[in-house]
């Protein structure tokens, strides 16, 4: 236990609170069946056990009464994490070929990661969801599945963090972190400042409301950061725009407030499914991007059933 004292406006005297410290599990993988036969896996970041957690989630989804006909892999707002876990997650769904390549000025920094044949096969169609918050390791997984034609990618362009860093130890316990290489997708595309372009651009919004240009339109990308590494295809443009009128500024502020409100609603919607505060996983379908992913998988199943 630990005792803390809180001083707060409105209190006549300090307030003492006793807390019991505990180990808080940090789960990076959550899953749910949205509709019978259609699974949804949300990866929040790539930690030490992410790949094994994804496998466990797949076992759970595949053990449902209705056979799994399609899978939605949600990598939105996933900042990345461990490279080896990104490679391992992509390898779950790939049987062969390159997953990601690392290329630097020095040949010693070059490395190629390849997929290995799996003993358990997951042959159902997949959709990967991305947005401006999808970065680094999450972009590696997305790029590998997209280039291998293993999954359709929908959403908005990803962050574009395709650089590799290392740390050079210095004296007195200090260190210098610097960039040594870039990530490349299997087709040879650099992620840096370019990001992953979705196969289908779908703006995120609540289906029962309108959200202007979508709630991801204001997210900062790698290319927006000062002194970022220039992407291979990035063009430098200095376009002058006319100053906005007061009316235009007021309308924009209202639109921004609406976007922020929708962000909060969608985040609460996704969290509610996993905290069991709602018993209806299909409420996730109010998210326009999740809904489109489900429609794509459902449509694929309809077409293949016709061929049979």
């Amino acid at each position: 236990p630990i005792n803390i004292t809180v001083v707060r406006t409105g209190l006549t005297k300090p307030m003492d609170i006793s807390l019991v410290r505990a180990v808080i599990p940090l789960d990076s993988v959550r899953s749910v069946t949205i509709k019978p036969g259609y699974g949804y896996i949300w990866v929040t970041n790539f930690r030490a056990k992410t790949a094994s957690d994804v496998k466990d989630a797949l076992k759970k989804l595949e053990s449902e009464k209705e056979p799994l006909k399609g899978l939605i892999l949600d990598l939105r707002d996933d900042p990345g994490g461990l490279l080896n876990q990104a490679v391992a997650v992509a390898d779950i769904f790939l049987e062969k070929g390159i997953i990601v390549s690392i290329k630097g000025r020095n040949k010693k920094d070059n490395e190629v990661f390849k997929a290995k044949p799996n003993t358990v096969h997951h042959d159902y169609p997949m959709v990967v969801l991305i947005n401006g918050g999808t970065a680094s390791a999450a972009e590696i997984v997305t790029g590998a599945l997209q280039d291998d034609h293993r999954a359709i990618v929908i959403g908005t362009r990803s962050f574009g963090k395709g650089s590799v860093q290392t740390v050079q130890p210095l004296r007195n316990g200090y260190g210098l972190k610097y960039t040594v290489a870039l990530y490349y997708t299997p087709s040879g595309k650099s992620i840096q400042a370019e990001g992953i372009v979705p196969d289908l651009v779908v703006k995120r919004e609540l289906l029962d409301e309108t959200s202007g240009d979508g709630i991801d339109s204001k997210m900062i990308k790698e290319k927006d950061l000062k002194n970022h590494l220039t992407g291979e295809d990035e063009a430098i443009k200095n376009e002058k725009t006319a100053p906005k009128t007061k009316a235009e500024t007021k309308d924009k502020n209202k639109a921004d407030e609406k976007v922020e409100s929708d962000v909060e609603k969608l985040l609460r919607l996704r969290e509610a499914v996993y905290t069991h505060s709602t018993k209806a996983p299909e409420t996730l379908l109010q998210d326009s991007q999740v809904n489109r992913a489900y429609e794509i998988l459902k449509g694929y199943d309809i077409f293949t059933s016709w061929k049979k």
Side-chain angles (χ1 to χ4, degrees):
I2 182 173
N3 297 316
I4 63 173
T5 300
V6 178
V7 178
R8 182 183 300 162
T9 302
L11 292 179
T12 56
K13 61 180 181 179
M15 178 173 58
D16 294 325
I17 301 175
S18 179
L19 302 175
V20 178
R21 290 170 288 192
V23 176
I24 301 174
L26 299 175
D27 299 324
S28 63
V29 178
R30 301 173 183 180
S31 64
V32 69
T33 298
I34 295 179
K35 291 277 190 178
Y38 297 94
Y40 171 90
I41 293 180
W42 175 21
V43 180
T44 59
N45 51 38
F46 288 83
R47 299 179 180 274
K49 293 179 57 182
T50 297
S52 63
D53 288 345
V54 168
K55 290 180 180 178
D56 290 341
L58 288 172
K59 288 180 182 178
K60 180 181 177 182
L61 293 172
E62 292 168 352
S63 64
E64 296 282 341
K65 186 176 181 180
E66 183 85 16
L68 200 58
K69 301 175 183 177
L71 176 69
I72 300 172
L73 180 62
D74 193 346
L75 298 181
R76 293 175 299 174
D77 304 310
D78 186 327
L82 300 177
L83 171 62
N84 67 328
Q85 290 301 297
V87 171
V89 169
D91 197 13
I92 293 172
F93 304 103
L94 299 175
E95 297 293 330
K96 61 180 180 178
I98 296 174
I99 292 176
V100 66
S101 300
I102 298 176
K103 300 177 184 178
R105 288 177 178 170
N106 297 325
K107 289 185 177 180
K108 66 180 181 66
D109 295 321
N110 294 353
E111 197 166 0
V112 178
F113 297 88
K114 296 183 178 181
K116 300 182 255 337
N118 295 307
T119 55
V120 179
H121 305 284
H122 312 283
D123 299 326
Y124 34 77
M126 289 179 60
V127 173
V128 177
L129 302 181
I130 64 170
N131 67 356
T134 305
S136 193
E139 290 178 292
I140 289 173
V141 173
T142 304
L145 297 179
Q146 183 184 51
D147 283 3
D148 194 74
H149 302 151
R150 178 62 185 87
I152 293 177
V153 178
I154 75 171
T156 53
R157 187 188 291 261
S158 64
F159 183 79
K161 200 280 184 185
S163 57
V164 185
Q165 287 74 39
T166 189
V167 177
Q168 177 64 43
L170 301 176
R171 287 178 292 181
N172 300 323
Y174 289 91
L176 175 65
K177 187 176 184 180
Y178 60 101
T179 300
V180 295
L182 294 174
Y183 290 124
Y184 291 84
T185 67
S187 64
K189 296 177 184 177
S190 171
I191 299 171
Q192 177 59 26
E194 300 293 336
I196 302 292
V197 179
D199 298 307
L200 294 174
V201 176
V202 178
K203 295 170 183 176
R204 183 167 57 166
E205 55 192 7
L206 286 169
L207 289 180
D208 59 343
E209 300 180 36
T210 58
S211 302
D213 290 331
I215 67 175
D216 293 330
S217 60
K218 293 171 63 61
M219 299 189 78
I220 296 175
K221 311 286 183 62
E222 172 88 3
K223 65 183 179 62
D224 300 319
L225 301 178
K226 186 178 180 181
N227 298 326
H228 70 272
L229 293 178
T230 304
E232 292 181 345
D233 300 325
E234 185 178 7
I236 301 175
K237 298 179 181 179
N238 294 313
E239 298 178 349
K240 294 184 178 180
T241 56
K244 294 183 180 294
T245 64
K246 289 184 178 180
E248 289 174 329
T249 301
K250 186 176 181 180
D251 290 341
K252 184 178 183 301
N253 290 339
K254 286 184 178 180
D256 289 347
E257 290 176 2
K258 178 67 169 60
V259 166
E260 291 174 3
S261 174
D262 284 355
V263 171
E264 294 176 0
K265 289 178 182 178
L266 283 168
L267 289 176
R268 288 199 299 269
L269 186 71
R270 189 160 59 171
E271 286 290 346
V273 175
Y274 299 109
T275 57
H276 304 291
S277 57
T278 175
K279 294 183 179 180
E282 62 267 21
T283 55
L284 278 171
L285 296 176
Q286 293 177 29
D287 183 321
S288 61
Q289 292 171 331
V290 175
N291 190 281
R292 180 65 65 85
Y294 168 72
E295 288 177 342
I296 290 172
L297 295 173
K298 183 70 173 178
Y300 178 84
D301 181 54
I302 293 173
F303 275 116
T304 52
S305 65
W306 287 351
K307 292 180 181 180
K308 296 176 183 178

